[in-house]
Amino acid sequence: MQASEPLHNDPPKLAVKFLRWFCNERLVEEIEGDLDEYYQLYSKRYPTWRAKVYYWFHLFSFLRPYSLKKKTQNSKRLIMFRNHLKFSFRYLSKHRTNALLNVMSLSIGIACFLFIFIYLNGELSFDKYHKDSDRIHRVVIDLVSDSGRTPDATSPPALAPALGENIPEVELTTRVFPTWGSKYLIGATQENQFYEEKIYRVDPEFLEIFTYEVLLGNPDELLSDPANVVLTETTAKKYFGDENPIGKELTIFNRDNAKKVVSGVIEDVPFNSHFTFDFLTPLHFSSRNIDEDWGWYNYYTYVKLRDGSIHADFEEKLQPLYLASNPRDSISPNITYSQPVKDIHLKSALKWELGANSNMSNIKIFVSIGLFILLVSLINYLNLTIGGLVRRTKEAGVRKSFGALRSNLIGQFVTESLTVVFISLIIGGLLAEFALGALTEIFGREISIFDPANIQTFLVLSSCVIGFGVLSGIYPALYFASLGEIKGMMTKKRGGFLDLKRILLIAQFAISAIMIVGTMVVYQQLMYFKNSDMGFDMDQVLIIENADAISNQKTLKERITQLSFVESAGYSNGVVGGLNWTFTLGYPEGFLLNYAVVTPDYLKAMDFEFIAGRNFDESIETDSQGLNLIANEAALKALNLKLDQVGESVPLTSNRQDSLIYGKVLGVVKNFHYSNFKEDIKPYAFFYRTDPEDNLAIKMSSTNVRENVEQLEAIWNDMTVGVPFESYFLDQSFVELHRTEERLSDVMLYLTMLSIFISFIGMFAIANIVIKARLKEVAVRKALGATTNQVVSMFTKNFVLLVVIANVIGLPIAYLTMQNWLADFSYRTTLSPMLFALALILTIGLAYLIVGMRSLKAATSNLTERLRDE
């Protein structure tokens, strides 16, 4: 008996699922039924596999737009977004002047904000790259005397081992001993040699406390031998090129020609470190035991605290340990304390800092400027948006009459706002990148917006600006939604004198006034520094370094002084405005005395002004012996001496057995500035010795400077063999003392100009909107006999009054801010009322000029057509 055929064959399950996934719900049942009928028919005629193939074939034939599912809601949103975007570009194109002003001011504001905050991000990152940087501290000592307290970054070498042995919170200690201004001639060969200054002698724990990637060498043995030297990557390439330097020798060309073996290469010191070096070598002195030396204040002491230890506990034990270990300070104790390494760059201004630090005051100014610029731009954008509401009243009314919902209005205005914001973000980012590249020299390092750390700043700013764009788009939508349809079409609402537009303009110009005054005060302080009497003449004074490389310094000076352009020349072991030395002097109470060892001609070359006594005399043998010195007025006062005691033998100090040591103040020079203007003039003295000194100061005439230096170099090369000639003009070193303020002045000048520019863009745009809205009124006034001056005055007086109000608000804030900034300087300019008057006159004049020109154009145009249209 034959088996009966099945009544129904099921189609492929996967095909059915695919059909139900893509097919429109209204058609799926009908299409699925038709496909099933065909499948049953084919399954009777053909094998099952062929029937399934036919099923899939017919299924794909239904993949047509009419049969696809319609995502109605998403489709409507997409269409609506496209319409909003299309209308946005049409509107911006139609009102391209205002759109361009909006994009320009917002782009500049974003660029300035990025420019400043990316730079500040680097300033705030100093020394944070070290592993466990929050546990690393520098131990410093304030030197105390009757004349006051001198904060000093240095400490004696015995302090570090005492800390490690006696304070349980300390895990590691290291000392750093720099070259103290001396330069060493170093070379891999006799021909390949350079003068180097960035050489640190350190304890082996230095590379355990501070984090630097070891590129070559055994990390555990880098500083294990006194003959070892560790190079940074750039220094290794400088001396050895692409060769592997490990195990090779470097020679320090001096009396001993000491040999150093390269034991390792580490990465270059990042820019955000409060110290920099090119060479590391083990701290070792064969002639003395520094672990027990409490009197040699030429070291820097760093500690790393144990994980979990409390810094306050460590700090509490510092001073007792210092006094117990150092009995010589028990009578007039110095004060020891620690600084977090992360705070040194911005919060430390001690004597003998290892590098040029910034300060929080300037950081706050930069932050304020960045926020001000961005705020001015955003206010400008918001003001232009609000100013355009009158022009768009009819548009919004028509939209509402044709059924536009509040959400439609919000979508349209938000899309327009975001379009401007996105364009501004792109342009602002490019401008910031260009500015950061162009001002590399001012900031002293290369900065890019595309660095990973800076991308985060850009994204945060982008989020804030986009959020602002959304809010500024919602405001006009809500404003128009609150109006009735007919009222929205026909009514022009006019605000009072202090409506939102004018309030925002006042805020803009108040900020601009603050920045104008701030820029002028910073610049005036720099000019005060540059034009002040320094107490000596540094004009055309050339300093030749490493003069001790000349075996016969007397012959060198004689040959140089025979040149027609050389007025005088003298040697010193330090440089006024650069390096000097200190020791304690005074009886019965001591004080910290800054000093330099010089030759008599040095004081002549520098033109120090004597107010009493005489200069050193080479023919008087005792002048170069003992405590015979030339003091400045501050030092004479600290010694409790009067001018009539100059030249007399007086007790100047005592030894450990309380025996008096006598000396003479041979002369007194007028007080002179040898540090920046933030510090008071301290006691300073000169001593005379016949030993070779490091620097030769040459007073030259001001003609043909380049040729003069070339002649000096020729004499140098004739008296040396392969020793590089290195020199600089003394005024350059004094510029470095105020490099931070000069940088601040330059940046503030650029940004203030941009702030004023943005503010007046806003004023021009608002004036343009106001004047266009009142052209009919202008036409009527002109028809009734009003003069052009009257029309111009009608518009300008209100805007000028806004600027006056802005100055009344901004100038007192500027006064308080800059008064606080100047308080950091011991020698400072005064805040003249003329500065504030100038800011007022400048802003009023520019406002009158911009609004006056626009209103003059309106008053002199042909208004007949305007009246005819009305």
Side-chain angles (χ1 to χ4, degrees), residues 122-123 125-131 198 200 206-207 210-213 232-234 266-278 345 355-356 444-446:
E123 290 292 289
S125 69
F126 266 68
D127 296 300
K128 293 181 180 179
Y129 63 90
H130 297 296
K131 182 182 178 181
K198 295 181 178 180
Y200 284 1
F206 179 89
L207 292 175
F210 299 107
T211 306
Y212 299 102
E213 181 183 357
T232 61
E233 183 178 11
T234 299
I266 62 175
E267 64 176 335
D268 291 338
V269 181
F271 79 90
N272 53 345
S273 173
H274 75 281
F275 55 66
T276 59
F277 57 85
D278 296 325
H345 180 66
R445 67 174 187 268
E446 293 185 0

Side-chain angles (χ1 to χ4, degrees), residues 208-430:
E208 296 182 53
I209 294 177
F210 299 107
T211 306
Y212 299 102
E213 181 183 357
V214 178
L215 305 178
L216 294 172
N218 185 344
D220 298 327
E221 299 179 358
L222 294 182
L223 298 171
S224 60
D225 190 290
N228 287 351
V229 63
V230 177
L231 311 180
T232 61
E233 183 178 11
T234 299
T235 306
K237 289 182 178 180
K238 177 180 177 180
Y239 284 92
F240 300 101
D242 295 329
E243 299 178 16
N244 186 341
I246 302 301
K248 295 186 177 180
E249 287 187 345
L250 283 176
T251 303
I252 301 177
F253 294 103
N254 53 17
R255 296 181 181 87
D256 301 326
N257 285 343
K259 303 288 185 180
K260 293 288 183 179
V261 178
V262 179
S263 60
V265 177
I266 62 175
E267 64 176 335
D268 291 338
V269 181
F271 79 90
N272 53 345
S273 173
H274 75 281
F275 55 66
T276 59
F277 57 85
D278 296 325
F279 302 81
L280 292 177
T281 187
L283 183 60
H284 174 73
F285 294 94
S286 58
S287 59
R288 60 198 305 177
N289 182 8
I290 60 173
D291 290 349
E292 298 179 1
D293 192 331
W294 289 93
W296 191 10
Y297 284 78
N298 280 48
Y299 294 79
Y300 297 85
T301 302
Y302 294 88
V303 300
K304 183 176 183 179
L305 303 183
R306 297 186 185 278
D307 189 18
S309 62
I310 300 174
H311 175 253
D313 294 341
F314 164 71
E315 192 77 23
E316 185 179 351
K317 298 171 184 176
L318 269 178
Q319 185 69 3
L321 172 65
Y322 176 73
L323 295 180
S325 305
N326 187 15
R328 61 184 295 170
D329 276 353
S330 59
I331 299 175
S332 178
N334 295 327
I335 300 174
T336 182
Y337 56 97
S338 66
Q339 300 172 306
V341 71
K342 296 185 295 184
D343 292 347
I344 292 176
H345 180 66
L346 293 178
K347 298 181 181 179
S348 180
L350 309 183
K351 188 175 180 62
W352 307 123
E353 291 284 358
L354 275 169
N357 292 339
S358 185
N359 60 71
M360 286 303 298
S361 177
N362 287 347
I363 293 296
K364 291 176 182 177
I365 290 177
F366 274 125
V367 170
S368 301
I369 291 173
L371 293 175
F372 280 172
I373 291 285
L374 184 61
L375 184 60
V376 167
S377 299
L378 295 178
I379 288 174
N380 201 50
Y381 177 75
L382 185 59
N383 223 354
L384 290 176
T385 301
I386 295 171
L389 293 183
V390 175
R391 182 174 59 238
R392 309 197 67 179
T393 302
K394 289 184 179 180
E395 175 195 341
V398 170
R399 283 175 178 273
K400 292 185 67 179
S401 298
F402 282 92
L405 302 176
R406 174 180 295 190
S407 60
N408 299 133
L409 293 175
I410 291 176
Q412 180 61 52
F413 286 106
V414 168
T415 303
E416 289 178 10
S417 180
L418 288 179
T419 301
V420 174
V421 166
F422 277 120
I423 295 173
S424 301
L425 276 173
I426 295 171
I427 297 175
L430 295 175

Side-chain angles (χ1 to χ4, degrees), residues 126 414 450 455 475 505 664 678 751 849:
F126 266 68
V414 168
F450 300 109
I455 289 292
Y475 173 79
L505 273 177
K664 293 181 181 180
K678 292 183 178 181
L751 296 180
L849 178 65

Side-chain angles (χ1 to χ4, degrees), residues 22 31 100 175 185 227 372 394 697 699 704 717 757:
F22 78 81
I31 293 174
L100 181 62
R175 294 163 290 193
L185 189 60
F372 280 172
K394 289 184 179 180
K699 177 67 175 178
N704 301 321
N717 292 334
F757 176 69

